[in-house]
Amino acid sequence: MAVKNQSTKLDVYIRWRPLSEAEATEGEVEQSSGMIKDAGLLSVSVNQRNAGGGRPWASPPAFRDAFGPEDDNAAVYESIVAPAIPRVLTGDTCNFFAYGHSGSGKTHTIVGYDFKTDGNLGLCLAASRKLFEELDSLNQANTGSGLGIGFSLFELRKNTAFDLLNGRTECHIRQGRDGRTHIRGQTEVLEGGKVRVRPLAQRPCWTFESLREELRQSLQKRAVGSSSIHDQSSRTHAVLRLEIINRPLMKARTALVDRESDLVPVGKRATDISIEEQTKGFVRTAEGGWEPNPHYQINRERIGEAEAEKARYEARVMAAEEHVNSILSSSEHQYLGAKMVFVDLAGAEYHREKGVQAPVLKQTPQEQQEGRQINSDLLALKEVIRAWSANQPRIPFRSSPLTMVLREHFVDCGKGTSAMIVTVSPANSQYSATLNALKYGSLVGVASA
C-alpha cells in the first residue's frame, strides 16, 4: 500500500439544511455528533423518529465538522473555502464538492440563489469576490499586471458535456495525446478550408460584477428534471472553474487555438495523399488479396512533401503550446494559472432502506436512466477519491465522464485544499435519502482521513 501523503487529502463536512414549513409538521430525524479525540474527526448518529424502536446508524469518525440549519453560506465559506484563498495565491489548485440527495441544498451551497446578500452568496461567488479583492491590490501594486479571473462553467449529462457559457453547446470529452482530458465543442469550418474545434469557453472577467452577471445568465441554461424525491432536481453535474489569468496568457491561448485550426486541413491533406498513393500502388489479385501495382510507382516525394508541410504546422502548434507554458512558468506571479474548482454534483438517487418509508416521485424511463448514470458517476468519484487519497499508483479516472474531466484538478491539486460538503435534510420523511448521503460521505471521509 502506498505511503500516505497528507497533501492528497479531502476533508468531508456535513451541512444540515433548515426544515421547510411543510416538513416541520412531519418532524425531524434524531441526530447527534461527537468528536473522536484520537482521530480528530466527528462521528454522526442518526435515526428516524417514530421508527418503532429501530436502531440508529452511527458513522465511524469521518467528518471534519458539521453545520446546522442556523449556519448560512457565509459561515460555511469562512470555515471551508476562505482558508484556501492563500493557497491559491501561491499557485495551488483547490477543489470543492457538494454531494447530497435532491433538494438537500447542494446548489444553494455552491452557487446560491441570492447573488447580492453577503450571507447568501454561494461559495463560488464568495471566493471570486475575495480573489478579486486580492488581485485588485496586486494590480495596484504592480502596474500593468492586468490580473483577472478566467471563468468557465459546464455541465455533464450522461456522457456529454454542455458549455453553459456558449449557449449550452454540446461538447465531446476526449483524452488527448498529452494524457489530459479535453472538452471540445462543435467543429467550425472557416474560410480556406480551415477547421476550428472550439475548446470549452473561458470568459475572462476583470471585475467581480462582470463574473457575477456571467454566472447568473449561464445558470439559466442548466437542465432540471424529476428525481426520485424532487420534481425540480438538477439532473447534471455542474463544474465551475475560477482560474487566475492575465491578458498575455489569454492572448497566447487564443493563438494556440488558431494554430491548431491551421493544422487540421494540412494534416488531413497529408493523410489523404498518403492513402491515395498507397491505394494506387497496389492492385487486387484474382484470389482476392493485394499485390504491388506493376503499372504505378508510389510517389514517395509527394507523400514526403505533404508530411513535411504537416510537420511544419505541428511545430507551430508546439511552439504555441510552449509559449503558453512559458508564460505560466516564467511569470513573476506564481499564482498565474492557479484554479478553484467548484462541483455541484447531480442529486444522488437512492434505494429505500429496508423498513424505511420514503416518498418516491414517478419518473420517466429517461429520468430513471439518468438516475442510474448519476449513481454510476458518484460511485466512480468515490473510488477515485479513495485511490487518490491513498496515493495509489493507479487511479481509475476513466471510470466515468465525471472523473475524466476532474482528472486534471485532482492531479494538479498538490498541496491545495480539497473538501466535500455533504448536504442533508433533517426532515423525517427524507430519512432514507439522508442516511444514504451520510453513508457515502463517511466512506469518503474514512478513506481520506
Side-chain angles (χ1 to χ4, degrees), residues 387-429:
W388 173 76
S389 299
N391 287 331
Q392 293 181 4
R394 180 186 177 279
I395 302 176
F397 289 115
R398 299 185 67 181
S399 297
S400 82
L402 173 64
T403 50
M404 283 183 67
V405 301
L406 293 177
R407 178 187 184 278
E408 172 189 351
H409 307 302
F410 277 107
V411 172
D412 293 346
C413 190
K415 297 179 181 178
T417 298
S418 289
M420 175 177 287
I421 304 167
V422 179
T423 57
V424 287
S425 166
N428 204 44
S429 60

Side-chain angles (χ1 to χ4, degrees), residues 297-347:
Q297 183 72 29
I298 294 177
N299 191 338
R300 302 289 180 186
E301 182 179 355
R302 183 184 179 214
I303 295 176
E305 289 176 352
E307 289 294 333
E309 183 183 25
K310 175 184 173 183
R312 288 194 296 271
Y313 277 82
E314 287 177 336
R316 295 178 72 242
V317 171
M318 291 180 63
E321 291 174 342
E322 291 173 359
H323 182 48
V324 171
N325 293 331
S326 68
I327 292 175
L328 290 170
S329 60
S330 64
S331 172
E332 62 185 65
H333 309 299
Q334 60 182 335
Y335 38 77
L336 194 65
K339 300 181 184 71
M340 298 189 81
V341 183
F342 297 87
V343 184
D344 177 11
L345 296 166

Side-chain angles (χ1 to χ4, degrees), residues 216-257:
R216 187 189 66 80
Q217 292 185 16
S218 59
L219 286 173
Q220 296 175 2
K221 301 178 178 67
R222 275 203 79 179
V224 298
S226 175
S227 71
S228 56
I229 61 172
H230 197 261
D231 62 355
Q232 283 294 304
S233 172
S234 297
R235 306 310 293 149
T236 62
H237 311 292
V239 181
L240 187 151
R241 298 171 180 166
L242 305 175
E243 180 186 16
I244 298 178
I245 60 167
N246 62 11
R247 286 181 169 83
L249 177 61
M250 298 305 294
K251 183 178 179 181
R253 285 177 173 169
T254 300
L256 173 58
V257 172

